[in-house]
Amino acid sequence: MSENPFEVKVPVGRSSSPSIRFSQKSKEETASELQTDIAVGLSNSQDILNRRSLHGINELSNDEEESIVIKFLSKFYEDPLILLLIGSAIISFWMGNVDDAISITLAIVIVVSVGFVQEYRSEKSLEALNKLVPAEAHLTRNGSTSTVLASTLVPGDLVHFTQGDRIPADVRLTDAVHLTIDESNLTGENRPVKKTTNPIIYETNDIPPVTIRNSIAFMGTLVRDGHGSGIVVATGAKTEFGAVFEMMSEIEKPKTPLQQAMDKLGKDLSVFSFAVIGVICLIGILQGRSWLDMFQISVSLAVAAIPEGLPIIVTVTLALGVLRMARRKAIVRRLPSVETLGSVNVICSDKTGTLTQNHMTVTKIWATDFKGSFNSPFLVVEKLDDNTLHHQLTKNMQKTLEAGNICNNARYSRENEKYIGNPSDIAIVECLPHFGLDDIRGTKQRVYELPFSSVRKYMAICAHSGDLNKSETFVKGATEKVLLLSNRYFDENGDIKPLTDEIRKEIGEKSHALANDGLRVLAFARNNKKYINEKENEEPSELIFSGLVGMKDPPRPNVGRSIALLMKGGVHVIMITGDSPTTAINIAKQIGMPIVGDHSVMTGDQIENLSEERLAEAIHNVSVFARTTPEHKVTIVKALQRRGDIVAMTGDGVNDAPALKLADIGIAMGKNGTDVAKEAADMVLTDDDFSTILNAIEEGKGIFFNIQNFITFQLSTSIAALTLIALATFFGLPNPLNAMQILWINILMDGPPAQSLGVEPVDHEVMNRPPRKRNDKILTHQVIKRVLQSAAMIILGTLYIFIREMTDNEITARDTTMTFTCFVMYDMFNALSCRHYSKSIFEIGLDNQMFNFAVIGSLIGQLCAIYVPFFQAIFQTEALYFSDLLHLLFLTSTVFIGDEIRKYLLKQKSSGSNGFNVNFGV
């Protein structure tokens, strides 16, 4: 059987799909049929709207979601504990206890509703995460190129793509330069496919398989090399990927390690709770209590004591935290990454665009015929006006800029009124007008292009002005690489002379001097030969060296402060760049990275000469890696992980993907990053700013501590409720809480008060704490002590009220109302104290509005349960005096006061010894 599924079975209705038809038509025929233009794209706005209404948006959507009503109703029979409660209500009704039956039924509806809202909120939060990194496309309409959402494309649109981009729709290629595309997600074939603009010729009457439609770029596939352009022929479900998508079954996403840990904790607590509840029920029946009452109490206690909402609240907390990060320009694509962020102790960052602004400007130019100015051997572009530059431009410099102009893929966007593309390309095109030069690319016809790559370290263009026999080859790239390809140079008179060792040395010194100024240096060369590169690995040769251009990319404004804060928090920051060591060191010093001697800097050549083990030993003090390739990033990550470090790695290119995947946290650039890099990464920076990484780590640490806080609240409430009923049963006392009251406590424990603790604003001092170890448990000894302290105070205070009220050994409505209200008020004060582990509420204030509303809402609900007749009947309560509420207020505040005392003692104990413990005590 063939490995290609499309050769075996074509989905119904796909026999005449657009990609099949247009793959066999020429690009001119395609443009004519779709009424578009190969050069300027679609131009008529009304026509574009009509096409969108006809073909729909360019998205693949899942089948219709299950009805929200059906989802809600399913909650009544999916949970065994809810089924037990329903059984209890039915038995009560059958035995004539109609009031109990109605009360239990209402309680079931409330409990199920709260749980459903939690899960629904979690699902919606996760859905929102999936939309944080929308697919984009480089689109030309009416001759203007811009980056737009891929969902807005319509058939007939002209799109462009380059190495690392994901194809946004099914596209008939009109231009393919060294273009190879990875179609493995569509065909199963791992080998990239070389694409051409020629229509395919298929002799048989069968449908041409996907694997031979080389004139089509398919939606969802990835550009591995080169670049191209084409006309959109199909969008959404009409694409070939759309056909596959319809046949795919939805796969449930695995849970995060933290969610799995919460599941295990929940199961362990469930087993323990069931054992205790079973003993309580058995003792109660042996004491002669009504088996129905004990059954209702036991089931209600099981619902309240078992923290079934724990994993849900964890998911909601993680998801809301991720959405909060997105507002701070850091998009986390995978929830487990949030857990890892707090453990990162090494950040490996690209220089260009992450530590720097990624806006290149040409600042210095050198050629052999320039005599120098302002005591500088270079033409200092940034210090001169246009008139001076125009007069100081030499012939060789003009040749250099001309080569830079032709070896250039920057496009002008009329919509944005600026050039878009590679920053170095943009810098060269933008500097041409200052010298009185025009962009001459429109006068040249390209014969061939060899795109820039990190391995080649240069790009080459073969072009002519109308006569193919007079083609010229232009090259730009790293100085050492261009010199290797050159054997001649333009001398001070503009004549072509042999490139001697002396001249090579002079060029190298000038390049080194530019790099010492922190500039990115590009060398330029040309010859009069026609270069087609018909043979694999063939390189242009016998080039004539023309000159050097130095470009400045200044550091981002806040990056120095961010690095200082990260280092203060125990995070080692490493710069990785393809630039020379001198350029890298210059930038590193500007942004405050520690550079101490030669041990702080390592080059790609040194990495290759060291084993992984030796590199792991030598890497300890290294702050800068220079002249590196993306392959070196993988080696660096392995060496750091070998030492036990938790590594965050930034990247933007196709070749960065392996390192991004290997790193504990892969971070891709949102603006200049390729689609391949974004998909391999765990996090995407929408502003490409290093400072955003600091914000993300801060949020990640804050989320972890918030999770600890709401677990403390939930467990202390659960333990208190369970122990309270157990003690009353063991000592032969009446049950202090009835089934309805226990269920209300469960709503508070799993509902808004608990969830609001998960969205507590991040304490900025969290960055003063060293990175958390990977295997650190959530339930630390300190957390357990805190849980037991709070639970003990709630139990003792509630038992005191219960015994004090029950003077005649007979349980009355007032007795249970006082006990019930006492427990709920304890719960609210406990929630208040759980907002921070070590900081007083008077320090952190009342900034968490969700918490404020949750507590106020819970207290209003409790007052309704006490004073509204309808709810009095359900909860079997009666109205209390104002003095009763004041008495309970003073008593229940002790759990808050006790925790404040604990925080004060902790601070006193730690002051002056360890600042980390002062803030966190963990």
Side-chain angles (χ1 to χ4, degrees):
M1 183 180 289
S2 170
E3 293 182 1
N4 183 0
F6 295 94
E7 293 179 9
V8 180
K9 179 183 178 181
V10 177
V12 178
R14 303 301 297 182
S15 58
S16 60
S17 69
S19 74
I20 294 172
R21 288 193 299 111
F22 289 109
S23 66
Q24 301 175 77
K25 293 178 181 289
S26 70
K27 55 186 180 182
E28 291 79 14
E29 289 172 334
T30 301
S32 176
E33 186 170 331
L34 291 173
Q35 298 178 5
T36 187
D37 188 283
I38 292 176
V40 301
L42 296 173
S43 301
N44 188 307
S45 301
Q46 187 57 49
D47 177 38
I48 293 169
L49 291 174
N50 292 339
R51 293 181 191 225
R52 186 169 298 130
S53 62
L54 178 63
H55 297 281
I57 59 173
N58 181 34
E59 285 183 350
L60 298 175
S61 56
N62 289 312
D63 296 335
E64 290 186 9
E65 292 187 359
E66 186 181 4
S67 165
I68 191 170
V69 176
I70 295 174
K71 277 187 176 181
F72 177 69
L73 294 176
S74 67
K75 298 300 174 189
F76 285 93
Y77 57 80
E78 285 182 348
D79 189 344
L81 294 176
I82 297 299
L83 288 175
L84 284 173
L85 276 175
I86 292 172
S88 174
I90 293 171
I91 293 170
S92 296
F93 184 79
W94 178 61
M95 297 184 69
N97 297 337
V98 178
D99 289 344
D100 283 353
I102 294 173
S103 298
I104 293 172
T105 303
L106 288 172
I108 292 169
V109 171
I110 295 171
V111 169
V112 169
S113 298
V114 171
F116 175 74
V117 168
Q118 282 178 283
E119 289 195 30
Y120 184 76
R121 185 181 179 191
S122 175
E123 288 175 7
K124 289 300 174 186
S125 298
L126 292 174
E127 283 178 18
L129 299 187
N130 296 329
K131 298 176 182 177
L132 288 177
V133 192
E136 293 181 333
H138 307 294
L139 169 69
T140 293
R141 282 181 182 163
N142 198 23
S144 177
T145 303
S146 59
T147 301
V148 300
L149 292 178
S151 59
T152 63
L153 296 180
V154 297
D157 269 330
L158 177 63
V159 293
H160 315 279
F161 28 85
T162 188
Q163 186 185 45
D165 285 348
R166 185 171 286 284
I167 304 298
D170 279 4
V171 176
R172 172 60 173 91
L173 294 171
T174 58
D175 186 30
V177 178
H178 218 273
L179 183 64
T180 58
I181 295 181
D182 179 359
E183 297 179 347
S184 57
N185 59 353
L186 187 63
T187 65
E189 299 285 347
N190 291 321
R191 192 177 216 173
V193 179
K194 187 172 183 180
K195 295 293 183 176
T196 69
T197 59
N198 301 322
I200 68 167
I201 299 172
Y202 200 61
E203 303 291 345
T204 69
N205 294 325
D206 294 333
I207 297 167
V210 168
T211 49
I212 73 163
R213 297 179 215 163
N214 293 338
S215 58
I216 299 289
F218 297 102
M219 179 184 191
T221 57
L222 290 163
V223 179
R224 282 296 176 192
D225 199 7
H227 60 84
S229 302
I231 297 169
V232 173
V233 296
T235 57
K238 294 178 182 177
T239 62
E240 294 300 333
F241 197 82
V244 177
F245 188 82
E246 289 174 5
M247 296 185 289
M248 290 194 314
S249 58
E250 189 176 345
I251 300 172
E252 186 177 351
K253 290 184 179 179
K255 293 185 176 181
T256 73
L258 185 59
Q259 287 172 304
Q260 291 171 351
M262 290 300 97
D263 283 342
K264 184 178 184 304
L265 176 63
K267 287 175 183 176
D268 292 344
L269 291 173
S270 298
V271 171
F272 175 75
S273 299
F274 268 125
V276 174
I277 291 165
V279 171
I280 291 172
C281 185
L282 183 61
I283 291 175
I285 293 172
L286 291 175
Q287 288 176 344
R289 305 188 191 202
S290 166
W291 69 269
L292 180 59
D293 287 344
M294 290 310 301
F295 176 73
Q296 289 178 352
I297 289 289
S298 298
V299 173
S300 302
L301 202 54
V303 172
I306 296 171
E308 73 282 347
L310 204 56
I312 297 173
I313 297 180
V314 168
T315 304
V316 172
T317 302
L318 290 175
L320 292 179
V322 169
L323 292 173
R324 205 161 54 237
M325 287 185 198
R327 289 194 289 271
R328 300 181 74 177
K329 310 297 184 183
I331 297 174
V332 178
R333 299 182 66 248
R334 300 177 179 91
L335 281 184
S337 306
V338 179
E339 305 159 34
T340 312
L341 276 169
S343 302
V344 168
N345 67 329
V346 176
I347 297 175
C348 298
S349 175
D350 274 334
K351 176 181 75 69
T352 305
T354 310
L355 298 174
T356 58
Q357 296 180 20
N358 202 32
H359 183 76
M360 293 282 186
T361 52
V362 173
T363 57
K364 293 182 180 181
I365 302 177
W366 178 83
T368 54
D369 60 350
F370 183 69
K371 303 304 180 184
S373 65
F374 295 101
N375 297 319
S376 171
F378 307 105
L379 177 59
V380 186
V381 179
E382 59 185 341
K383 291 185 178 180
L384 302 175
D385 58 30
D386 289 2
N387 184 55
T388 308
L389 288 173
H390 179 72
H391 286 93
Q392 292 209 9
L393 182 67
T394 66
K395 289 183 179 179
N396 289 351
M397 284 185 176
Q398 186 167 345
K399 289 186 177 76
T400 299
L401 291 173
E402 183 180 313
N405 183 195
I406 295 171
C407 279
N408 203 302
N409 288 320
R411 294 173 180 271
Y412 188 74
S413 171
R414 292 180 189 172
E415 181 181 339
N416 299 318
E417 296 184 345
K418 65 178 183 179
Y419 284 97
I420 58 175
N422 180 281
S424 298
D425 286 352
I426 295 170
I428 292 172
V429 178
E430 286 181 341
C431 86
L432 294 176
H434 298 298
F435 291 92
L437 301 176
D438 296 323
D439 185 349
I440 61 172
R441 286 179 293 174
T443 67
K444 298 284 185 180
Q445 184 175 339
R446 289 189 179 187
V447 177
Y448 188 80
E449 174 183 345
L450 186 64
F452 179 88
S453 79
S454 58
V455 177
R456 281 189 289 269
K457 295 184 179 177
Y458 74 92
M459 79 173 288
I461 296 285
C462 182
H464 62 81
S465 300
D467 186 350
L468 183 62
N469 295 321
K470 293 184 179 179
S471 296
E472 295 179 276
T473 296
F474 302 85
V475 172
K476 75 169 181 185
T479 306
E480 57 268 30
K481 187 64 181 178
V482 172
L483 284 176
L484 281 175
L485 301 174
S486 304
N487 65 350
R488 293 167 293 168
Y489 77 105
F490 292 105
D491 71 0
E492 59 186 13
N493 300 315
D495 298 327
I496 300 172
K497 294 290 181 65
L499 190 59
T500 63
D501 290 341
E502 184 181 350
I503 299 299
R504 287 180 187 273
K505 183 180 178 182
E506 182 185 0
I507 294 170
E509 288 173 351
K510 292 294 188 292
S511 177
H512 188 74
L514 289 171
N516 268 335
D517 290 337
L519 304 182
R520 170 174 286 182
V521 185
L522 289 177
F524 297 86
R526 62 200 290 171
N527 63 22
N528 295 325
K529 293 185 177 182
K530 181 180 178 183
Y531 169 60
I532 304 178
N533 194 38
E534 291 176 343
K535 297 178 182 178
E536 191 175 353
N537 297 325
E538 183 185 340
E539 292 187 324
S541 59
E542 299 182 1
L543 294 173
I544 309 165
F545 179 85
S546 60
L548 301 172
V549 171
M551 305 176 185
K552 181 170 68 175
D553 183 15
R556 289 182 180 268
N558 297 320
V559 72
R561 172 182 169 275
S562 299
I563 288 175
L565 288 172
L566 285 166
M567 289 193 298
K568 185 179 179 183
V571 180
H572 181 197
V573 181
I574 296 174
M575 177 200 293
I576 302 179
T577 177
D579 287 339
S580 67
T582 47
T583 302
I585 290 171
N586 186 286
I587 295 293
K589 288 179 177 178
Q590 288 183 48
I591 59 179
M593 293 181 68
I595 304 293
V596 183
D598 295 336
H599 297 297
S600 296
V601 184
M602 188 175 285
T603 65
D605 290 339
Q606 290 173 305
I607 293 173
E608 290 175 358
N609 293 328
L610 291 174
S611 66
E612 189 179 305
E613 187 176 352
R614 290 285 304 279
L615 180 60
E617 294 172 1
I619 212 169
H620 180 68
N621 294 316
V622 176
S623 296
V624 174
F625 287 95
R627 282 288 184 245
T628 57
T629 65
E631 289 75 16
H632 290 143
K633 283 189 174 184
V634 174
T635 307
I636 293 168
V637 171
K638 287 181 177 178
L640 289 167
Q641 289 177 333
R642 187 185 185 95
R643 291 162 25 109
D645 292 323
I646 310 300
V647 185
M649 170 67 75
T650 70
D652 55 9
V654 176
N655 293 330
D656 290 332
L660 294 177
K661 276 190 174 181
L662 181 64
D664 298 281
I665 294 284
I667 304 171
M669 303 300 107
K671 285 184 178 179
N672 297 304
T674 59
D675 291 335
V676 178
K678 291 176 189 176
E679 291 185 15
D682 304 289
M683 189 166 78
V684 177
L685 305 183
T686 58
D687 57 358
D688 292 9
D689 190 344
F690 182 85
S691 303
T692 306
I693 301 175
L694 173 73
N695 296 337
I697 291 177
E698 184 180 79
E699 286 283 357
K701 285 185 174 183
I703 287 171
F704 179 81
F705 289 113
N706 285 347
I707 289 172
Q708 278 191 325
N709 288 337
F710 75 64
I711 287 175
T712 301
F713 170 69
Q714 279 202 312
L715 292 186
S716 56
T717 302
S718 178
I719 290 170
L722 198 61
T723 307
L724 190 65
I725 302 296
L727 289 175
T729 304
F730 291 153
F731 291 107
L733 300 172
N735 285 321
L737 301 170
N738 62 42
M740 299 307 99
Q741 294 165 354
I742 293 172
L743 291 174
W744 172 246
I745 290 167
N746 172 67
I747 291 169
L748 297 182
M749 187 181 78
D750 281 345
Q755 287 192 17
S756 63
L757 291 172
V759 294
E760 188 71 28
V762 174
D763 182 357
H764 296 298
E765 290 187 14
V766 76
M767 289 308 297
N768 292 334
R769 175 172 166 73
R772 184 173 55 86
K773 292 181 180 177
R774 189 196 297 267
N775 55 356
D776 277 358
K777 294 179 180 179
I778 293 179
L779 280 180
T780 61
H781 292 299
Q782 288 83 1
V783 171
I784 293 172
K785 287 178 184 176
R786 190 182 180 197
V787 167
L788 295 178
Q789 174 185 312
S790 298
M793 296 185 75
I794 295 171
I795 293 163
L796 292 173
T798 309
L799 275 177
Y800 161 73
I801 288 294
F802 179 58
I803 294 170
R804 179 176 175 273
E805 292 294 324
M806 193 185 59
T807 53
D808 53 1
N809 208 32
E810 287 292 329
I811 197 78
T812 64
R814 173 181 167 78
D815 300 340
T816 57
T817 303
M818 283 290 287
T819 308
F820 175 39
T821 307
C822 178
F823 195 99
V824 169
M825 292 178 72
Y826 260 128
D827 233 17
M828 295 301 99
F829 275 114
N830 187 30
L832 186 65
S833 65
C834 285
R835 285 186 56 202
H836 199 285
Y837 179 85
S838 59
K839 278 192 174 181
S840 167
I841 189 67
F842 303 107
E843 289 182 73
I844 62 177
L846 298 172
D847 294 337
N848 188 346
Q849 295 301 322
M850 183 177 172
F851 176 84
N852 298 337
F853 289 128
V855 170
I856 291 169
S858 298
L859 291 175
I860 291 172
Q862 183 63 25
L863 292 175
C864 290
I866 299 172
Y867 296 107
V868 177
F870 174 75
F871 291 110
Q872 284 178 337
I874 294 174
F875 291 103
Q876 299 171 19
T877 57
E878 67 176 39
L880 298 178
Y881 298 113
F882 181 69
S883 58
D884 293 328
L885 294 179
L886 283 179
H887 178 210
L888 292 175
L889 182 67
F890 285 117
L891 176 65
T892 55
S893 63
T894 55
V895 71
F896 168 72
I897 295 168
D899 201 65
E900 287 289 301
I901 293 171
R902 180 194 63 80
K903 291 172 183 176
Y904 174 78
L905 294 175
L906 179 68
K907 196 167 187 176
Q908 290 298 310
K909 179 181 177 182
S910 303
S911 61
S913 60
N914 190 334
F916 299 145
N917 290 334
V918 171
N919 293 320
F920 299 96
V922 208

